[in-house]
Amino acid sequence: MANLYGRAWTRAELSRYVADMGQLAGIRPVTYTDGPEAGVRALEFRTGAGLSFTVLADRCMDVGLAEIDGVPLSFMTGVGYAHPAYYSGHESDWLQTFPGGLFVTGGLDTYGQPGADEGQQFGLHGRATALAARGLSWDADWDGDEYVLKARGKMKQVSFHGEHLQLTREITAKLGENRFTIHDVVENLAGRPEAHMILYHFNVGFPLLDEGSVLEVNATRTDGLDARGEAVVERARQVQGPVYGYQEEVVVHDVAPDAAGWATARVVNGAFGGGRGLALTIRYKKDELPYLWQWRNFKERAYVMGVEPGNAHMHGRAYNRQQGTLPILATGERREYTLEVEAALGL
């Protein structure tokens, strides 16, 4: 049943009140027409319970701005939803088309620091976010007494005589809920084994991110990516206010899963709204995504914290190959990933 406006509704009950369910919730397709965003297709989700978010069809079906009751959850850069035609994979050029948004996909064959692996150069965080959806579809309809919003598309990372990786992504939400699910399937369509790295680069921004906010994780161990990260390990989960010229840090958490195998990361601003509270919860399967990276960038005018489940080390492809942690897909092999994202206003 749909829980809406303080009560549970069957389809028959709710249908007595509305001629079109789009009055309450739905998906609206849009295409941007101005600046570097021109031509980018997107899908705007509304769940009817306060949660709204934008799925960027031409940017790997990543999620851009996300809000609950009009309160933003995600950080946004000044780049905007740049068309993938502007993307460059050279060194750190990825940052020139990084929009922020609720999450950006790193991968599909590398993420983390730029570098060379087996004679091939790889840029920061890989090509995934610049892949446009093929066969894009969306619908909002009843499934029994639940009204379900769903979008689906396929992204191909292909290079002739090179990799051929396909990501099939499905994003699902329901009427009356302030959460959505990401279900991904990555398949190697090449006639050779392929490296496969994937990162879910969640970008938390103000006002969820503020002085006194906390990252809640049940971590058995926390390590710094480098010396600067090691220096903040003990206070990594505590958030401070923006500082001019702040130098970013990266740490990694080994998060203990629950009995069902789910790991949880939760960002909480308990002081928001005079103590009403604001939170974002990310759940993922620990066996699918064993690393939880935390990017602390408390810089004035670029104030963001990354909460980033991934399947490999942030040091890049060559490092993972050397350490034996580089995931490899055989021809025809598939990997699946499921994440749940939930917002809460009022704790």
Side-chain angles (χ1 to χ4, degrees), residues 3 11 19 26 37 113 129 135 137 146 153 163 185 226 229 261 282 289-290 309 312 326 331:
N3 290 295
R11 175 179 180 176
E37 299 179 345
Q113 299 172 354
T129 190
S137 63
E146 292 186 328
E163 77 277 11
V185 179
D226 52 21
I282 303 161
L289 300 165
L326 181 64
T331 297

Side-chain angles (χ1 to χ4, degrees), residues 231-305:
V232 299
V233 161
E234 296 301 321
R235 64 178 190 279
R237 304 177 201 177
Q238 306 298 317
V239 175
Q240 65 184 82
V243 176
Y244 182 80
Y246 190 92
Q247 296 296 302
E248 63 189 0
E249 305 113 354
V250 177
V251 302
V252 60
H253 303 283
D254 185 3
V255 182
D258 64 16
W262 289 93
T264 300
R266 185 171 184 250
V267 181
V268 182
N269 181 350
F272 177 80
R276 185 181 181 191
L278 180 64
L280 179 73
T281 302
I282 303 161
R283 302 182 186 92
Y284 58 96
K285 289 295 186 74
K286 175 68 179 291
D287 62 344
E288 298 171 351
L289 300 165
Y291 299 83
L292 181 68
W293 299 95
Q294 181 190 357
W295 170 44
R296 293 163 42 94
N297 190 71
F298 305 141
K299 184 182 295 184
E300 186 177 308
R301 303 195 180 197
Y303 186 63
V304 57
M305 185 171 73

